[in-house]
Amino acid sequence: MHEMGIASSVIDAVRHESELRNGVRVLKVGLRVGEFAAVDPESLRFCFEALIAGTDLQHLQLDVQFCHRRNHCQHCGEYFEAAEFPFICPQCDSIATESKGGDELEFAYMEIEET
Amino acid sequence: MNRIPMERKVLSENDRVAAELRAIYERNGTLCVNFISSPGSGKTALLERTLAGFEAGRRVAVLTGDIQTDNDARRLARYGFPVRQISTGGACHLDARMVQKGLEGWPLEDLEILFVENVGNLVCPTSYDLGEKSRVVLLSVTEGEDKPLKYPATFYRADLMVMNKLDLLPYVPFDAALAHEYARRVNPQIEILNVSCTTGEGFDEWYRWLEAQRVQTGAAG
Ligand SMILES: Nc1nc2c(ncn2[C@@H]2O[C@H](COP(=O)(O)OP(=O)(O)OP(=O)(O)O)[C@@H](O)[C@H]2O)c(=O)[nH]1
Ligand SMILES: [Mg+2]
Ligand SMILES: [Zn+2]
């Protein structure tokens, strides 16, 4: 269960970004979580809720965008989402493809209150 | 409402420390290897046998992470190389900061190889870059061949899969070829070695793999 640590990094980052903007209220934070990030979105959400409950951030919303593996075709250069094995380029049918993502664990956006 | 794009990783603080460690290893030509597996797959056994096969003068050190006890460190210290225990105090993985602390006071300039045994866990250690050059995942034949599909993130990010406990293959229903196929399905680039830490089978290839990694660090001889 390392989602607690990850949730707490998310909250720290939100506080930090808010401080950089004169303490603006952050309403929502969006994350991109890849299928190979080793993070379970449900348990991340659970930990997140537990950590903000009863604090000044208790209204902060979490948006998790789940990302599949993406591959790059070494034959024609196409980038494509590779959800199902085997990974075949939809453009040229080649199986000579390499992984180019799917392990991300990163911030996508933040929504802040209008000032 | 105002939406602002953010370009940063969630574990950017860990990644920052990991990058510092990586720079130190690269400067000194040290090969750092991070071992990840379920509890009991044989990380400590692999290190024990590896150390036992090294000449006494080699500059090799081990950091071993555990939630509790220093049993692994005591097992490993018998081979005469420097070994330190990192007690994570409950955490299910090592992070770069723990490794940085664990290395305090060690003469890193002299080190050829630093082995880092992660906490036994096939999920949590995966997200934490420790600054290693090479990441090794162990899978033992008693665990079932579908582990790469059940825990894909760990196999996706590993450079090498060591399939351990080969000596037990006659006694358990485990399809080795299928385990290889599953690992390659998740990570087509992964290298694979089959070993037994009990009999020593496969260790010639393992030592060759280690040497090849060392050559890539730019450290010759
Ligand atoms: N038969 C057999 N047993 C092995 C082999 N390798 C390890 N073992 C045994 O498996 C058990 C667990 O091995 P460890 O090396 O402690 O495993 P570990 O991955 O370090 O475990 P944790 O540190 O607790 O995560 C021990 O009893 C070892 O003797 C092997 O190749 N063959
Ligand atoms: Mg161990
Ligand atoms: Zn193509």
Side-chain angles (χ1 to χ4, degrees):
Chain A
M1 254 292 274
H2 63 312
E3 278 82 359
M4 196 53 99
I6 289 170
S8 120
S9 302
V10 171
I11 292 164
D12 289 347
V14 166
R15 285 195 194 285
H16 179 69
E17 295 289 330
S18 161
E19 274 162 26
L20 292 179
R21 295 175 174 78
N22 299 317
V24 69
R25 213 161 101 97
V26 180
L27 306 172
K28 192 173 187 177
V29 58
L31 304 182
R32 275 189 293 268
V33 177
E35 69 172 300
F36 302 114
V39 171
D40 174 42
E42 277 315 301
S43 97
L44 179 62
R45 184 174 299 285
F46 179 85
C47 296
F48 181 83
E49 303 290 343
L51 287 174
I52 59 173
T55 75
D56 55 322
L57 289 177
Q58 64 178 328
H59 299 295
L60 182 63
Q61 286 183 292
L62 176 68
D63 172 27
V64 176
Q65 305 167 358
F66 187 77
C67 312
H68 275 295
R69 174 202 288 267
R70 283 177 305 290
N71 274 28
H72 172 238
C73 176
Q74 287 155 323
H75 186 239
C76 77
E78 175 86 352
Y79 285 88
F80 60 99
E81 189 172 281
E84 290 286 335
F85 186 85
F87 312 123
I88 300 171
C89 174
Q91 199 64 34
C92 75
D93 269 352
S94 169
I95 55 161
T97 70
E98 57 182 340
S99 298
K100 283 284 178 189
D103 61 349
E104 52 273 84
L105 177 57
E106 59 198 23
F107 291 98
Y109 67 86
M110 227 172 53
E111 282 178 9
I112 57 176
E113 206 164 54
E114 302 276 6
T115 44
Chain B
M1 201 167 40
N2 228 336
R3 183 177 277 210
I4 20 185
M6 279 171 88
E7 296 289 335
R8 66 179 268 209
K9 300 199 168 168
V10 173
L11 297 175
S12 55
E13 175 56 19
N14 182 79
D15 292 353
R16 190 184 61 73
V17 178
E20 281 178 26
L21 291 171
R22 187 166 282 117
I24 294 172
Y25 302 145
E26 282 174 2
R27 191 165 60 240
N28 297 323
T30 304
L31 168 65
C32 176
V33 186
N34 178 6
F35 293 88
I36 299 179
S37 81
S38 315
S41 303
K43 297 178 294 299
T44 308
L46 178 69
L47 285 170
E48 284 187 272
R49 193 158 192 125
T50 305
L51 296 179
F54 279 153
E55 286 158 42
R58 292 207 54 177
R59 300 182 310 274
V60 173
V62 185
L63 284 179
T64 174
D66 263 308
I67 296 178
Q68 289 286 333
T69 85
D70 61 353
N71 290 352
D72 285 0
R74 281 192 283 116
R75 272 165 70 186
L76 291 161
R78 295 192 293 232
Y79 301 89
F81 298 97
V83 176
R84 272 190 191 163
Q85 176 80 35
I86 303 178
S87 287
T88 64
C92 46
H93 59 268
L94 292 177
D95 64 32
R97 177 78 67 192
M98 295 179 205
V99 171
Q100 192 179 48
K101 273 220 180 101
L103 291 174
E104 264 168 25
W106 259 0
L108 295 177
E109 310 77 49
D110 289 338
L111 216 50
E112 290 173 47
I113 307 180
L114 174 66
F115 293 119
V116 181
E117 176 182 347
N118 222 307
V119 179
N121 184 315
L122 206 44
V123 182
C124 306
T126 304
S127 309
Y128 296 86
D129 183 5
L130 304 182
E132 73 269 21
K133 171 176 185 311
S134 311
R135 190 176 279 203
V136 175
V137 59
L138 279 82
L139 174 65
S140 59
V141 304
T142 52
E143 292 172 71
E145 57 277 278
D146 57 352
K147 283 290 175 299
L149 298 183
K150 285 185 176 164
Y151 301 92
T154 304
F155 292 84
Y156 182 82
R157 295 193 196 191
D159 300 295
L160 172 71
M161 172 171 94
V162 171
M163 220 182 67
N164 186 30
K165 308 197 187 180
L166 219 53
D167 57 294
L168 298 181
L169 215 41
Y171 312 104
V172 289
F174 180 90
D175 185 336
L178 197 57
H180 290 195
E181 192 207 314
Y182 286 158
R184 293 211 167 94
R185 187 182 285 198
V186 172
N187 177 0
Q189 276 85 40
I190 200 166
E191 294 184 75
I192 300 177
L193 293 176
N194 301 319
V195 309
S196 165
C197 296
T198 304
T199 67
E201 191 180 348
F203 268 68
D204 289 346
E205 288 84 356
W206 162 241
Y207 281 119
R208 267 202 292 280
W209 184 87
L210 271 180
E211 269 325 298
Q213 300 300 302
R214 239 169 62 66
V215 168
Q216 288 173 19
T217 65

